[in-house]
Amino acid sequence: MKKILLFVFACAFAFANEIVYSDVVKSLYADKSDKKAIGRLLPTSPVEILEKDGDMLKIKIEGYIQDDVSEAIYFSEGKRILTAAFGKNAAVDVKVLEKGAWSKVSVEAYTNDKDFYKELKPIMDRAASIYTESCSMCHALHSINEYNANQWPSILKSMLSRTVMDKKDRFLVSQYLQKTTTKE
């Protein structure tokens, strides 16, 4: 019995402190047993696995909030690249790591363990391929640096109805464009 308990304990922490990325939008929960999501994690966002329990992961998300508005956590300071978004009435414990107009924060939440990967590059390569295939059907492909990170979501959204891009890939492509552009 003691060996079984040690094995279960070891498995629960086998993935702890590992950084992973998802290629899809993930529902976030305040507790591992909750059925109602409190928010969403956006694709390509790095998260740290704190613990694994069955098919649920407790994760830590780091990012930035602007002007103490904790419903939106952004990927980088000064750019509107969403990492996670929470409902207005969600009970989210936001820990401020560095205070400022764009405060660096961390949040712990739960999500299912599906669709996480250790490497970001294959996810970004897939997003680049989807962008190239979907967005060059009607016109010459826009250079990634034609728009800045804050402009890309609305540019992409305005053209989505004319593409064959799967709905589940839309946020992935948007995140790719926002995180890849170098235009300020």
Side-chain angles (χ1 to χ4, degrees):
M1 183 68 169
K2 190 175 186 179
K3 286 182 183 181
I4 293 172
L5 287 174
L6 285 173
F7 176 75
V8 170
F9 183 76
C11 287
F13 291 98
F15 297 100
N17 300 101
E18 185 175 15
I19 303 297
V20 294
Y21 311 86
S22 180
D23 63 346
V24 296
V25 175
K26 305 278 297 173
S27 293
L28 297 172
Y29 302 92
D31 187 79
K32 64 186 171 196
S33 60
D34 288 351
K35 300 292 182 219
K36 184 176 179 187
I38 60 167
R40 301 279 186 261
L41 176 71
L42 279 289
T44 75
S45 300
V47 297
E48 179 182 352
I49 297 175
L50 300 175
E51 64 184 62
K52 179 172 173 47
D53 187 357
D55 63 350
M56 294 300 286
L57 298 174
K58 182 177 184 181
I59 60 173
K60 180 168 75 171
I61 305 162
E62 286 191 3
Y64 296 84
I65 60 172
Q66 184 181 18
D67 299 325
D68 296 325
V69 177
S70 61
E71 288 87 16
I73 298 178
Y74 297 100
F75 178 71
S76 59
E77 188 175 356
K79 295 184 181 172
R80 296 196 174 277
I81 305 170
L82 272 175
T83 292
F86 295 94
K88 199 169 192 107
N89 297 322
V92 180
D93 183 22
V94 177
K95 292 179 176 63
V96 177
L97 305 174
E98 296 172 20
K99 187 77 172 142
W102 285 82
S103 297
K104 186 171 184 178
V105 299
S106 73
V107 171
E108 293 179 6
Y110 290 86
T111 190
N112 70 48
D113 64 356
K114 294 176 181 37
D115 303 309
F116 279 111
Y117 307 93
K118 294 179 183 181
E119 298 292 325
L120 180 59
K121 186 177 179 341
I123 296 171
M124 295 299 259
D125 289 348
R126 187 169 85 75
S129 177
I130 294 167
Y131 172 66
T132 301
E133 291 168 13
S134 298
C135 298
S136 63
M137 293 176 67
C138 302
H139 55 77
L141 198 62
H142 289 280
S143 163
I144 290 170
N145 297 320
E146 189 170 336
Y147 302 103
N148 68 37
N150 293 345
Q151 294 170 318
W152 266 117
S154 61
I155 297 298
L156 185 63
K157 186 177 180 179
S158 72
M159 294 185 241
L160 282 174
S161 65
R162 296 181 215 99
T163 72
V164 294
M165 191 182 304
D166 284 341
K167 190 173 184 175
K168 71 174 186 61
D169 292 328
R170 293 175 179 182
F171 279 111
L172 173 63
V173 172
S174 182
Q175 289 281 306
Y176 160 74
L177 294 168
Q178 288 187 283
K179 291 177 179 175
T180 305
T181 186
T182 58
K183 184 173 182 173
E184 294 294 321

